[in-house]
Amino acid sequence: MTEHLRRLAGRAQSKASDGGIVLDGARTGNGRARNRLIMTIAVFLALYGAIAGRLVYLGFQEPADGSGPAPHNTASRPDIIDRNGELLATDIKTFSLFAEPRRIVDADEAIEKLLTVLPDIQYEQVYHRLRTDAGFVWLRRHLSPRQQAEIMALGIPGIGFRAENRRFYPGGPTASHIMGLVDIDNKGIAGIEKFIDSLGLADLREIGLAERETLKPFQLSIDIRVQHILHDELKRAMERYQTVAAGGVVLDARTGEVVAMASLPDYDPNNPVDAHKKDRLNRMSGGVFEMGSTFKGFTTAMALDSGAVGLNDSFDARQPLRVGKFTIKDFHGKGRVLSVPEIFIYSSNIGTARMAEQIPIEQHQAFFRRIGLLDRMTTELPEVATPTGPAEWKRINRITISFGHGVATTPLQTAVAASALVNGGMLIEPTFLPRSASQAAGQAKQVLSDKTSAAMRYLFRLNVEKGSGRRAEVPGYFVGGKTGTAEKVVNGRYSTDKRFNAFLSAFPVDDPKYVVLVILDEPKPEQPGMSATSGLNTAPVVSNVVRRSAPLLGVMPEFGHESTALLISTQ
């Protein structure tokens, strides 16, 4: 009995011990769960704390200009300045409008609000942009400050602004064909702007070094004061003579620097909506034309330089010259034998053709190539046309080319070749960048003898004193030049009532510093019954350009010479 009770007591104690183990395990499991809960709460508190801290931080930051996503930044460009440091082009900050379509609540409502500020936006086009799943779309580039403020006041969700660079040209259209254009992303696509990119600006931009602060101003040879004068006189001439186009260049005869160049009609590079119209062509370097009787200067220089013709020689101009089925006549024929100076000042086609026939055809073509009239000109502007001429020079080609028909070249390279006629016979490639006289001498080519150049200066001055260029005279500045009136080709035939006029000049012609060329396309007679030849319209324009610009270029007038032509011929 006693033993049995002892066994029962042992079992009870054992069960009691087992129950104690179970109770201790439950207590341990509950503690672990509580620890996991605390850790989870701590993690979430830390996460939300970090988010809240970031929001507080951002709340105290100044909003960045043009906040919001953007696919790229517009390019920075260097300022462009003229030879005197005057600003020609610079970057200004503007704001462009973008949208995040995913955040647009109501596309129709957003567009209706935008139309109150931008009434010219295309509704359907913008609607389709706002209905896409894109994260970013442009709506309008380069807003005005007022437009930006008014759109901002609309409070449209999903609409934002981004600061961008925009090119600004203080002179507007004054030098548009020289400056060229940039695209919507401020990258050069024409003119000097494109040339600047070709120098490595695009590469610098790619590696992030094209920042405005690191870009030095880009200086040109242009004098904006003379550029304004030339542009103004061409504009007046277009109105006065009712022309379809006009152009001109002022070229440094000793360095080849382009001091001014303009072609009208032109465009405003600040708003180049008309830039790609056909009549906005840069006629001075990008167009080719038959330059008419200005070529008689080159033919005369060729004949004199060859030694086959002298200034005292004479040629029979009494009768028209027949070549096959063609008849060569003079516009105002004298009907007599003419000396070389008379052939030049009376602009005789017959006399010039007879001079050209003294030179073999191969030498004729070689001379025109040597003086730079038959090959594509080299300069900084991308817009340079290639001259055109006959595939094979025959007798008729030699004769017609002698007085400016049959070869079409750019007016700019005509002026460059004329520099060689008067500057001592040195052909210097034109440049729109500053160039010293010593730098020019280092790359110049001797294409004429100095003696021939002196003879041409004499003939140029004689033509203004006594010939067809009298209306180019400017007292004290000894202008010399040659008129050119060319019939235009219409439907494959020369027109008798549509002309391309030019006046090619230099001043002061006894020691030429500048060459000035003016062209007028299809000028009309100033008054009923008058003619529309070059001496009556382009020559006066040159006179005005020289009179207004010479003092600015440091050329002071001189008086006291009765005949500059005589002075030149005796030097």
Side-chain angles (χ1 to χ4, degrees), residues 92 134 156 218 238 241 277 289 344 368 394 408 490 522 545:
I92 60 174
I156 306 173
F218 193 85
M238 284 191 69
Y241 305 111
K277 289 184 177 180
F289 307 92
F344 194 83
F368 272 65
K394 300 179 180 179
V490 179
E522 296 186 24
V545 171

Side-chain angles (χ1 to χ4, degrees), residues 183-200:
D183 63 13
I184 194 69
D185 295 316
N186 221 29
K187 298 177 182 178
I189 57 174
I192 289 297
E193 295 283 22
K194 184 175 182 179
F195 173 72
I196 291 174
D197 278 23
S198 73
L199 294 178

Side-chain angles (χ1 to χ4, degrees), residues 66-300:
S67 57
H72 62 277
N73 293 319
T74 51
S76 294
R77 305 187 64 80
D79 288 347
I80 301 178
I81 57 177
D82 81 339
R83 66 189 303 116
N84 301 311
E86 294 296 324
L87 189 65
L88 302 179
T90 189
D91 281 351
I92 60 174
K93 180 180 285 187
T94 63
F95 287 89
S96 293
L97 179 67
F98 70 86
E100 298 174 82
R102 297 169 186 170
R103 295 182 54 206
I104 298 294
V105 178
D106 188 332
D108 289 306
E109 181 182 6
I111 297 173
E112 288 176 2
K113 288 184 177 181
L114 288 175
L115 282 168
T116 62
V117 181
L118 305 173
D120 59 333
I121 61 175
Q122 299 297 318
Y123 191 101
E124 292 295 330
Q125 185 183 62
V126 175
Y127 180 82
H128 287 301
R129 288 185 180 182
L130 297 182
R131 296 294 294 174
T132 65
D133 293 329
F136 178 97
V137 294
W138 285 119
L139 296 182
R140 175 63 63 85
R141 306 290 289 275
H142 303 311
L143 298 170
S144 68
R146 173 178 289 184
Q147 289 172 330
Q148 185 208 4
E150 292 178 353
I151 293 173
M152 188 178 295
L154 296 175
I156 306 173
I159 297 293
F161 304 93
R162 183 168 187 83
E164 295 194 287
N165 293 318
R166 182 178 183 179
R167 206 61 165 162
F168 175 65
Y169 304 88
T174 305
S176 57
H177 283 108
I178 298 174
M179 305 311 298
L181 289 170
V182 297
D183 63 13
I184 194 69
D185 295 316
N186 221 29
K187 298 177 182 178
I189 57 174
I192 289 297
E193 295 283 22
K194 184 175 182 179
F195 173 72
I196 291 174
D197 278 23
S198 73
L199 294 178
L201 180 63
D203 296 333
L204 289 175
R205 188 183 301 121
E206 289 295 326
I207 61 177
L209 296 180
E211 297 297 330
R212 181 175 174 82
E213 295 76 14
T214 64
L215 299 174
K216 295 182 179 180
F218 193 85
Q219 189 169 38
L220 301 183
S221 60
I222 302 303
D223 187 323
I224 193 60
R225 302 169 302 174
V226 180
Q227 180 72 27
H228 169 75
I229 291 170
L230 179 63
H231 187 273
D232 181 58
E233 289 297 336
L234 293 176
K235 186 176 180 181
R236 292 169 183 258
M238 284 191 69
E239 297 172 355
R240 182 175 180 180
Y241 305 111
Q242 303 175 51
T243 69
V244 299
V249 62
V250 179
L251 187 72
D252 190 312
R254 299 163 299 179
T255 66
E257 294 171 293
V258 177
V259 179
M261 189 183 79
S263 175
L264 275 70
D266 52 15
Y267 57 90
D268 186 350
N270 295 309
N271 184 30
V273 292
D274 298 326
H276 298 293
K277 289 184 177 180
K278 187 177 180 180
D279 65 343
R280 264 56 174 186
L281 166 74
N282 179 4
R283 288 168 171 80
M284 297 306 295
S285 66
V288 293
F289 307 92
E290 292 187 349
M291 297 299 296
S293 294
T294 58
F295 263 40
K296 291 173 182 172
F298 305 119
T299 301
T300 303

